[in-house]
mmCIF file of all heavy atoms in Angstrom:
data_model
loop_
_atom_site.group_PDB
_atom_site.id
_atom_site.type_symbol
_atom_site.label_atom_id
_atom_site.label_comp_id
_atom_site.label_asym_id
_atom_site.label_seq_id
_atom_site.Cartn_x
_atom_site.Cartn_y
_atom_site.Cartn_z
ATOM 1 N N ARG A 176 9.970 11.104 -57.162
ATOM 2 C CA ARG A 176 11.112 10.091 -57.299
ATOM 3 C C ARG A 176 12.454 10.762 -57.431
ATOM 4 O O ARG A 176 13.430 10.433 -56.805
ATOM 5 C CB ARG A 176 10.853 9.050 -58.445
ATOM 6 C CG ARG A 176 9.832 8.091 -57.921
ATOM 7 C CD ARG A 176 9.479 7.029 -59.126
ATOM 8 N NE ARG A 176 8.279 6.214 -58.713
ATOM 9 C CZ ARG A 176 7.531 5.639 -59.652
ATOM 10 N NH1 ARG A 176 7.839 5.636 -60.989
ATOM 11 N NH2 ARG A 176 6.601 4.878 -59.185
ATOM 12 N N ILE A 177 12.539 11.866 -58.327
ATOM 13 C CA ILE A 177 13.878 12.397 -58.635
ATOM 14 C C ILE A 177 14.157 13.058 -57.294
ATOM 15 O O ILE A 177 15.354 13.199 -57.016
ATOM 16 C CB ILE A 177 13.635 13.386 -59.677
ATOM 17 C CG1 ILE A 177 13.582 12.537 -60.951
ATOM 18 C CG2 ILE A 177 14.749 14.339 -59.719
ATOM 19 C CD1 ILE A 177 13.095 13.355 -62.250
ATOM 20 N N ASP A 178 13.185 13.630 -56.467
ATOM 21 C CA ASP A 178 13.501 14.366 -55.252
ATOM 22 C C ASP A 178 13.797 13.322 -54.205
ATOM 23 O O ASP A 178 14.199 13.595 -53.080
ATOM 24 C CB ASP A 178 12.322 15.175 -54.827
ATOM 25 C CG ASP A 178 12.208 16.365 -55.677
ATOM 26 O OD1 ASP A 178 13.089 16.756 -56.384
ATOM 27 O OD2 ASP A 178 11.099 16.986 -55.461
ATOM 28 N N GLY A 179 13.754 12.088 -54.559
ATOM 29 C CA GLY A 179 14.213 11.061 -53.641
ATOM 30 C C GLY A 179 13.178 10.538 -52.434
ATOM 31 O O GLY A 179 13.376 10.048 -51.509
ATOM 32 N N LEU A 180 11.933 10.878 -52.822
ATOM 33 C CA LEU A 180 10.834 10.559 -51.997
ATOM 34 C C LEU A 180 10.502 8.935 -52.071
ATOM 35 O O LEU A 180 10.641 8.460 -53.115
ATOM 36 C CB LEU A 180 9.551 11.311 -52.240
ATOM 37 C CG LEU A 180 9.553 12.785 -51.751
ATOM 38 C CD1 LEU A 180 8.322 13.461 -52.387
ATOM 39 C CD2 LEU A 180 9.638 12.905 -50.272
ATOM 40 N N SER A 181 10.130 8.397 -50.989
ATOM 41 C CA SER A 181 9.759 6.961 -51.017
ATOM 42 C C SER A 181 8.323 6.895 -51.656
ATOM 43 O O SER A 181 7.660 8.025 -51.714
ATOM 44 C CB SER A 181 9.724 6.380 -49.625
ATOM 45 O OG SER A 181 8.606 7.011 -48.816
ATOM 46 N N GLU A 182 7.758 5.697 -51.900
ATOM 47 C CA GLU A 182 6.335 5.714 -52.484
ATOM 48 C C GLU A 182 5.437 6.231 -51.449
ATOM 49 O O GLU A 182 4.406 6.812 -51.954
ATOM 50 C CB GLU A 182 6.209 4.116 -52.666
ATOM 51 C CG GLU A 182 5.419 3.786 -54.006
ATOM 52 C CD GLU A 182 5.838 4.504 -55.256
ATOM 53 O OE1 GLU A 182 7.015 4.881 -55.416
ATOM 54 O OE2 GLU A 182 5.029 4.732 -56.101
ATOM 55 N N LEU A 183 5.556 5.925 -50.247
ATOM 56 C CA LEU A 183 4.676 6.389 -49.237
ATOM 57 C C LEU A 183 4.868 7.953 -49.170
ATOM 58 O O LEU A 183 3.868 8.655 -48.874
ATOM 59 C CB LEU A 183 4.962 5.674 -47.865
ATOM 60 C CG LEU A 183 3.823 6.032 -46.783
ATOM 61 C CD1 LEU A 183 2.450 5.226 -47.168
ATOM 62 C CD2 LEU A 183 4.233 5.487 -45.464
ATOM 63 N N GLY A 184 6.027 8.351 -49.146
ATOM 64 C CA GLY A 184 6.390 9.879 -49.102
ATOM 65 C C GLY A 184 5.593 10.638 -50.299
ATOM 66 O O GLY A 184 5.066 11.583 -50.007
ATOM 67 N N ILE A 185 5.711 9.972 -51.556
ATOM 68 C CA ILE A 185 4.929 10.627 -52.733
ATOM 69 C C ILE A 185 3.484 10.665 -52.350
ATOM 70 O O ILE A 185 2.879 11.660 -52.649
ATOM 71 C CB ILE A 185 5.273 9.723 -53.996
ATOM 72 C CG1 ILE A 185 6.755 9.822 -54.402
ATOM 73 C CG2 ILE A 185 4.410 10.261 -55.179
ATOM 74 C CD1 ILE A 185 7.160 8.852 -55.418
ATOM 75 N N PHE A 186 3.060 9.538 -51.851
ATOM 76 C CA PHE A 186 1.557 9.484 -51.548
ATOM 77 C C PHE A 186 1.170 10.597 -50.601
ATOM 78 O O PHE A 186 0.268 11.338 -50.855
ATOM 79 C CB PHE A 186 1.127 8.075 -51.006
ATOM 80 C CG PHE A 186 -0.188 8.052 -50.769
ATOM 81 C CD1 PHE A 186 -1.180 7.680 -51.648
ATOM 82 C CD2 PHE A 186 -0.669 8.076 -49.363
ATOM 83 C CE1 PHE A 186 -2.526 7.639 -51.388
ATOM 84 C CE2 PHE A 186 -1.941 7.990 -49.099
ATOM 85 C CZ PHE A 186 -2.922 7.779 -50.069
#
Side-chain angles (χ1 to χ4, degrees):
Chain A
R176 281 176 187 161
I177 289 163
D178 287 348
L180 284 173
S181 70
E182 218 45 30
L183 191 66
I185 293 172
F186 179 78

